[in-house]
Amino acid sequence: MVPPELAERARATLRRNDRGGYTVPSARLYPFQWNWDSAVVALGWMTFDEERAWREIDSLLRGQWENGMVPHIIFHQPADTYFPGPEEWGRSHRSPPTSGITQPPLLATMVRAMVEQAREPQLARERCVKLLPGLVASHRWWYRERDPEGTGLAVIYHPWESGMDNSPSWDQPLAAVPGTSRPYARRDTSHIDASQRPDPADYDRFVHLLDRFRELNYDAAELYRQSPFRVADFGLNAILVRASDDLAILCDGQGDRATAVELRAAAARGRRALEDLWAPRLGQYVSFDTRTGERLTERTHSTFLAWHARLPHLSDLAGHFDAWMGAAQYGVASAHPRSTAYNPKKYWRGPIWPHINWLIGRGLAEHGEAERADRLRADTLALIERSGLREYFHPGTGEGFGGDEFAWTAAVVLIWGS
């Protein structure tokens, strides 16, 4: 049970972060619209303002490119508190301006949940019909441009596309990326202590990649050939195959059987490829560096998205999950608490992220793992009650870090409480 006062605070946070049709994650730290943030936040809005929830998705798809890509940032209004802005991406001429990369494709999964939970079904049906072409175009973009060889695994070209920017999983492939030599001014560390943010050396590489993509004018073939960072991220692909199944169901509901068959075939191909990323010795799924052919074996919470994606080996993974949860006061840490890479306050190198816990918990519940799902929910809500609507949390002490009054943390409270 979510305490009524916490639920009201969560609703107030979404209202406060509302910018007239889209929700900023955190007012100064992230003053624009982010792709997978808005997918989660829309489901939070759905619990108390359904029309506003649908406008969140409309605003996000206003930034969709002609090729189908949904960028990771939509710059609806100017702000000087964030780097890199639209000029850095070379996409300031677009209306609205956008970044040049994407994020995990959660959108179709959230739209299906919105349709199924709607208390205004006619509104949901009407909005879903309008959204479907953009959602289908997005998935076709993923399979066409990020898996041009038809392997079943989509690749990312930048750690930011994984949504888990400085995850230990990226240490090895990111080491092959040169650091930029040009000057730039970060904004994040003026709002949040640097100990909680990616290291300068990582940021230098992040900037090198965005500069390279801009120089290549985001040409799909050249990006695939030239990007020094090209990784099949397990977590993103798990989200993609689940989203393709969810989108197929939405297409079925509109009588578009041909597209539903296409999407299910793509999802099945993806699941077969993900099966090859199971590492028996580690008892988990891993990501894959497609440049070097090496598996990326750092222990991160992405493996538990296997429940979300309905993959095999879930019984093997269950014991791994229990041990991981037992290694810290609260679960589930984004890096294993006994890993040498673990840093409990540094962004994606250890802290707990509420929206990932919700995705994992939702998958557990769908597979009949009610006890594990309930524990994850209880841990997450205890952290939020203890430390507020923070961006991420210390697995040992429960301390909150990053942005405050964070939109997707508020949304998770409301989703779990609905």
Side-chain angles (χ1 to χ4, degrees):
M1 181 69 179
V2 173
E5 61 274 15
L6 180 59
E8 182 50 43
R9 183 176 174 186
R11 287 188 286 269
T13 292
L14 293 190
R15 294 188 188 103
R16 189 179 305 112
N17 290 7
D18 184 2
R19 296 295 181 271
Y22 67 95
T23 310
V24 299
S26 181
R28 290 185 59 78
L29 183 60
Y30 302 111
F32 307 111
Q33 185 176 25
W34 261 258
N35 181 333
W36 72 328
D37 293 69
S38 277
V40 176
V41 164
L43 195 54
W45 279 109
M46 200 72 183
T47 64
F48 69 102
D49 189 338
E50 296 194 14
E51 194 280 332
R52 175 61 185 78
W54 292 109
R55 280 197 288 137
E56 187 75 28
I57 309 301
D58 292 340
S59 293
L60 180 61
L61 290 182
R62 280 186 59 207
Q64 186 171 26
W65 287 15
E66 292 74 13
N67 64 6
M69 186 186 82
V70 181
H72 92 299
I73 307 174
I74 317 298
F75 301 100
H76 293 285
Q77 299 176 21
D80 61 2
T81 61
Y82 179 83
F83 170 89
E87 297 81 9
E88 297 283 346
W89 295 102
R91 287 299 176 264
S92 58
H93 61 281
R94 297 188 62 86
S95 181
T98 71
S99 66
I101 59 174
T102 189
Q103 272 187 326
L106 265 178
L107 196 53
T109 294
M110 298 297 98
V111 170
R112 179 189 169 191
M114 291 165 70
V115 169
E116 292 179 347
Q117 295 175 22
R119 295 178 299 279
E120 299 179 53
Q122 182 61 32
L123 173 65
R125 283 192 293 270
E126 291 172 358
R127 300 306 280 268
C128 185
V129 168
K130 292 180 180 178
L131 291 172
L132 270 178
L135 296 176
V136 171
S138 169
H139 280 244
R140 285 176 172 158
W141 173 86
W142 274 106
Y143 293 119
R144 181 184 69 247
E145 298 201 4
R146 292 306 182 89
D147 184 20
E149 298 181 53
T151 67
L153 294 174
V155 296
I156 59 173
Y157 299 138
H158 197 296
W160 290 345
E161 292 194 309
S162 74
M164 304 181 187
D165 305 7
N166 67 330
S167 167
S169 289
W170 316 142
D171 289 354
Q172 184 177 323
L174 199 59
V177 177
T180 188
S181 58
R182 74 165 173 98
Y184 64 91
R186 290 175 66 171
R187 299 287 190 269
D188 58 328
T189 51
S190 65
H191 307 300
I192 302 296
D193 190 279
S195 66
Q196 301 172 29
R197 302 293 296 176
D199 289 334
D202 288 339
Y203 232 88
D204 285 350
R205 293 180 170 93
F206 297 160
V207 172
H208 171 88
L209 288 169
L210 79 86
D211 287 345
R212 188 74 184 116
F213 304 159
R214 186 183 62 246
E215 291 164 3
L216 293 172
N217 199 31
Y218 303 100
D219 180 271
E222 290 305 308
L223 285 170
Y224 190 76
R225 188 172 68 86
Q226 294 193 40
S227 178
F229 184 97
R230 197 181 71 197
V231 168
D233 169 21
F234 171 79
L236 184 144
N237 278 277
I239 288 169
L240 177 60
V241 298
R242 169 63 186 267
S244 291
D245 280 340
D246 290 330
L247 185 53
I249 289 170
L250 294 176
C251 289
D252 277 335
Q254 300 303 321
D256 188 353
R257 302 285 189 267
T259 302
V261 168
E262 172 194 339
L263 289 163
R264 288 194 176 97
R269 186 169 61 249
R271 283 193 173 87
R272 289 192 297 270
L274 285 170
E275 175 66 6
D276 290 337
L277 297 183
W278 175 255
R281 183 178 61 82
L282 298 174
Q284 68 173 63
Y285 289 94
V286 297
S287 295
F288 181 66
D289 186 337
T290 67
R291 282 252 172 249
T292 65
E294 294 180 287
R295 291 184 168 204
L296 305 173
T297 57
E298 280 292 346
R299 294 181 290 173
T300 72
H301 63 174
S302 288
T303 188
F304 301 125
L305 290 171
W307 276 289
H308 174 75
R310 303 166 178 157
L311 297 180
H313 298 295
L314 297 183
S315 58
D316 299 321
L317 200 57
H320 191 54
F321 175 84
D322 293 342
W324 199 302
M325 290 286 286
Q329 180 67 29
Y330 301 95
V332 57
S334 50
H336 196 289
R338 297 203 176 100
S339 166
T340 57
Y342 175 68
N343 184 329
K345 62 191 298 185
K346 200 168 191 67
Y347 216 40
W348 292 94
R349 303 185 72 85
I352 292 167
W353 289 77
H355 71 297
I356 299 294
N357 275 11
W358 173 69
L359 285 173
I360 295 169
R362 186 173 187 250
L364 284 165
E366 289 173 342
H367 285 82
E369 295 279 2
E371 186 175 341
R372 290 184 173 95
D374 288 346
R375 180 183 171 190
L376 197 56
R377 177 181 181 274
D379 270 18
T380 310
L381 292 175
L383 288 167
I384 296 169
E385 288 187 68
R386 180 193 184 283
S387 297
L389 297 168
R390 301 302 297 267
E391 186 177 2
Y392 43 96
F393 299 85
H394 193 299
T397 67
E399 184 180 358
F401 298 126
D404 199 4
E405 302 302 312
F406 210 80
W408 66 16
T409 305
V412 165
V413 168
L414 296 170
I415 295 165
W416 258 329
S418 64

